[in-house]
Amino acid sequence: AQKVTQAQTEISVVEKEDVTLDCVYETRDTTYYLFWYKQPPSGELVFLIRRNSFDEQNEISGRYSWNFQKSTSSFNFTITASQVVDSAVYFCALSEAKEVGGAQKLVFGQGTRLTINP
Amino acid sequence: NAGVTQTPKFRILKIGQSMTLQCTQDMNHNYMYWYRQDPGMGLKLIYYSVGAGITDKGEVPNGYNVSRSTTEDFPLRLELAAPSQTSVYFCASSYIGRYGYTFGSGTRLTVV
């Protein structure tokens, strides 16, 4: 069975600090997708990134970066120079890819609540 | 582009009542999904659909029903509401099944 674990329930840092959110996953599939979503206080879910299991290159998007390591089944998310607007709950999710064009059923971690203090 | 629209945004139900949560998307997406988010938890899949007329159960389907008569609409039916169904419900859609979802803004349901 697939499982996603976000061991950090809450993180609180001061603005401009760097912060890393951990994500560890379990799957028996060789082909799968990993995601990060942001849920700000307003409650909507915002897609941040999708990574497939064959692509272990790290990705950087502005102040955000992601580190994917298959050897440790981890897909960690780092925010550099954090800002108050980064305060949100962040979810890591996993999707199997058993068939071409198949439905993308997501398994979510329990989320990490990130608070950036001014 | 409206994306995924959910109605209502908030609802309070009494135990044993029934209701339908509406979900509509205007992106011609094949796939649609219903998730629930309990307090302090991640989302769990209730039902999903790969196209009109085709639905299947997710991880937590008990107490719910769905239908998909059109590509655009994917309503979620709660029969005999129970306090355990107090949650935030998210509808989502995706195209081809390989890309990030588009989520609706959610429906906050309280059963008392």
Side-chain angles (χ1 to χ4, degrees):
Chain A
Q2 297 185 321
K3 185 179 179 181
V4 175
T5 301
Q6 294 178 255
Q8 304 150 309
T9 305
E10 295 191 29
I11 299 175
S12 181
V13 300
V14 176
E15 198 171 22
K16 297 183 184 177
E17 286 187 15
D18 299 347
V19 59
T20 295
L21 283 62
D22 297 332
C23 173
V24 174
Y25 63 91
E26 297 175 27
T27 180
R28 295 178 188 169
D29 297 326
T30 55
T31 304
Y32 51 89
Y33 293 87
L34 295 163
F35 302 80
W36 276 94
Y37 284 87
K38 174 181 180 180
Q39 187 175 44
S42 52
E44 74 270 24
L45 285 152
V46 179
F47 168 75
L48 295 178
I49 190 171
R50 176 186 69 107
R51 171 67 75 226
N52 75 54
S53 53
F54 296 113
D55 183 1
E56 288 193 70
Q57 275 194 327
N58 292 333
E59 179 150 344
I60 298 174
S61 176
R63 297 184 296 106
Y64 295 172
S65 62
W66 291 269
N67 179 252
F68 176 31
Q69 292 194 342
K70 285 181 78 170
S71 60
T72 56
S73 297
S74 65
F75 187 45
N76 297 338
F77 173 33
T78 297
I79 301 175
T80 303
S82 60
Q83 299 176 2
V84 173
V85 294
D86 295 327
S87 296
V89 179
Y90 290 86
F91 291 99
C92 181
L94 168 69
S95 170
E96 55 190 13
K98 287 187 174 176
E99 57 192 71
V100 174
Q104 189 181 75
K105 295 176 282 184
L106 294 179
V107 174
F108 284 81
Q110 69 271 37
T112 297
R113 180 177 299 278
L114 176 64
T115 302
I116 310 298
N117 299 298
Chain B
N1 236 356
V4 178
T5 302
Q6 291 184 240
T7 57
K9 292 192 183 304
F10 304 93
R11 182 72 184 269
I12 298 175
L13 276 182
K14 293 185 177 179
I15 295 171
Q17 286 186 321
S18 300
M19 77 165 293
T20 299
L21 281 65
Q22 301 292 344
C23 176
T24 299
Q25 54 94 5
D26 62 357
M27 298 169 287
N28 203 31
H29 283 176
N30 313 68
Y31 305 104
M32 296 187 74
Y33 314 81
W34 275 104
Y35 286 84
R36 59 177 285 174
Q37 182 183 18
D38 297 331
M41 302 295 289
L43 283 71
K44 292 187 177 181
L45 182 64
I46 305 172
Y47 271 96
Y48 68 98
S49 169
V50 301
I54 306 170
T55 63
D56 206 348
K57 296 178 181 178
E59 184 183 358
V60 289
N62 291 342
Y64 306 95
N65 280 301
V66 294
S67 60
R68 183 99 180 267
S69 57
T70 66
T71 299
E72 296 78 19
D73 299 310
F74 190 41
L76 177 71
R77 178 80 177 165
L78 279 72
E79 304 283 1
L80 298 175
S84 61
Q85 293 178 305
T86 294
S87 191
V88 179
Y89 291 83
F90 287 97
C91 180
S93 70
S94 67
Y95 184 66
I96 305 180
R98 286 293 184 88
Y99 302 95
Y101 286 11
T102 300
F103 278 95
S105 56
T107 295
R108 186 175 295 275
L109 176 67
T110 302
V111 182
V112 297

